[in-house]
């Protein structure tokens, strides 16, 4: 399977990403660009996007980019910095780019922006390669 087919295979089993209404914009080896509309049920008590939603969105980008070669990887460590509050009606984009790759781990930089290309959050995720194929799990 090519990277897009692997990402689509994962997405079809990922009911949480489906609930978030994530759309795959572009998928290449160790890379993805995804999009998500901000819905009313993603808003917190301060009328901004709940931080957990933003984190989960970045985590989905990490999953689709770090597994799309067909070799399974799981999150080992993730750090997020929130730079701007999102609002209902926004459209978030997450771009995940491989920055370091070793035999057992890899590091990805993920930037989340809104429809005005303003930076919403910066996420760095480290994955552990578990030595199995995505399709075997």
């Amino acid at each position: 399977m090519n990277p897009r087919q692997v990402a689509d295979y994962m997405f079809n089993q990922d009911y949480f990403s489906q609930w978030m209404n994530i759309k795959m914009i572009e998928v290449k080896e160790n890379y993805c660009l995804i999009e998500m509309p901000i819905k009313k049920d993603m808003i917190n008590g301060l009328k901004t996007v709940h931080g957990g939603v933003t984190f989960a969105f970045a985590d989905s980008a990490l999953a689709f980019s770090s597994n799309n070669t067909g070799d399974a990887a799981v999150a080992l460590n993730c750090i997020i910095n929130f730079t701007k509050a999102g609002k209902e009606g926004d459209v978030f984009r997450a771009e995940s780019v491989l920055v370091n790759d070793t035999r057992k781990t890899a590091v990805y930089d993920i930037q989340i922006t809104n429809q005005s290309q303003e930076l919403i959050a910066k996420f760095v995720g480290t994955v552990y390669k578990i030595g199995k194929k995505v399709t075997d799990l």
Side-chain angles (χ1 to χ4, degrees):
M1 287 195 288
N2 67 38
R4 179 61 187 240
Q5 291 169 323
V6 175
D8 287 341
Y9 172 86
M10 291 177 62
F11 183 79
N12 288 335
Q13 305 177 97
D14 185 343
Y15 301 109
F16 189 73
S17 289
Q18 291 174 35
W19 172 82
M20 290 193 295
N21 282 335
I22 288 175
K23 303 285 184 269
M24 301 255 190
I25 306 300
E26 185 177 2
V27 178
K28 298 184 286 193
E29 187 171 319
N30 297 306
Y31 171 91
C32 79
L33 176 65
I34 59 176
E35 189 173 88
M36 172 183 75
I38 300 302
K39 307 180 287 184
K40 183 177 184 175
D41 53 355
M42 297 174 168
I43 301 301
N44 65 23
L46 299 177
K47 299 180 184 172
T48 61
V49 177
H50 191 287
V53 170
T54 305
F55 188 98
F57 182 52
D59 187 50
S60 289
L62 177 65
F64 297 133
S65 59
S66 67
N67 285 279
N68 72 28
T69 63
D71 296 317
V74 296
L76 184 61
N77 184 54
C78 300
I79 299 167
I80 192 166
N81 287 294
F82 301 101
T83 56
K84 182 175 178 60
K87 305 279 188 197
E88 183 180 351
D90 280 351
V91 177
F92 282 7
R93 277 192 166 203
E95 183 177 39
S96 180
V97 178
L98 175 68
V99 294
N100 184 267
D101 194 20
T102 71
R103 187 175 54 84
K104 294 303 285 181
T105 64
V107 178
Y108 289 79
D109 276 347
I110 299 163
Q111 288 200 16
I112 299 175
T113 56
N114 65 14
Q115 66 280 359
S116 301
Q117 289 79 46
E118 298 169 311
L119 185 65
I120 297 295
K122 173 82 163 133
F123 180 102
V124 178
T126 301
V127 296
Y128 177 74
K129 300 173 190 177
I130 63 173
K132 296 181 181 179
K133 294 293 183 186
V134 169
T135 54
D136 292 338
L137 299 176

